[in-house]
Amino acid sequence: ALTTLDLGSNEIGDTGTQHIGEALKDNMVLTTLSLSENEIGDEGTQHISEAFKINKTLASLDLFNNNIGVEGAWCIGEALKMNKALTTLDLGSNEIGDTGTQHIGEALKDNMVLTTLSLMSNYIGA
């Protein structure tokens, strides 16, 4: 069974992430997913976040360089409050900023599973 999927640099966008999100809700095998550099933005992040509220096997998610802003960070934060599987999350080189970082930080008070989080180059403290 497929456990690792790298879809980096494919211009998946919002529509593609909607389909991926729907698939992730039912998939109980995939453990690693890379969606780096896909122009996902906040709407696409919402689709992925809804999926990892439900998914129980995805341990690593790479959303590096996807134009994710404050709204997307809020969606991720809400999902992190519920998710019990994700251990590694890469949000580097997005546009999360101070407010988005606060949303994620609040979620981490409830999440005891995530062990690795990258927020490099996100206009934090700028």
Side-chain angles (χ1 to χ4, degrees):
L2 183 69
T3 58
T4 301
L5 181 59
D6 184 348
L7 293 170
S9 301
N10 277 299
E11 300 178 14
I12 289 172
D14 297 333
T15 304
T17 54
Q18 185 173 6
H19 295 299
I20 292 167
E22 288 302 315
L24 281 175
K25 289 178 183 178
D26 296 325
N27 183 298
M28 295 300 153
V29 193
L30 197 68
T31 58
T32 303
L33 176 61
S34 176
L35 295 172
S36 64
E37 301 178 340
N38 269 297
E39 302 174 17
I40 290 172
D42 289 335
E43 184 180 338
T45 303
Q46 180 179 359
H47 297 306
I48 298 299
S49 297
E50 288 300 317
F52 81 85
K53 283 181 182 178
I54 298 167
N55 184 286
K56 293 177 175 48
T57 57
L58 192 66
S60 179
L61 178 60
D62 181 357
L63 295 173
F64 179 86
N65 196 19
N66 270 299
N67 302 316
I68 299 169
V70 174
E71 185 180 321
W74 183 85
C75 294
I76 289 168
E78 291 302 301
L80 284 172
K81 290 177 184 177
M82 302 174 73
N83 183 278
K84 304 293 182 233
L86 201 66
T87 59
T88 302
L89 178 59
D90 187 347
L91 294 170
S93 292
N94 282 290
E95 300 165 6
I96 291 172
D98 293 337
T99 304
T101 303
Q102 287 175 333
H103 291 312
I104 292 169
E106 286 296 316
L108 293 178
K109 292 178 182 178
D110 298 320
N111 182 302
M112 299 298 148
V113 182
L114 193 70
T115 57
T116 304
L117 174 62
S118 174
L119 292 170
M120 67 170 247
S121 298
N122 264 292
Y123 306 102
I124 299 167

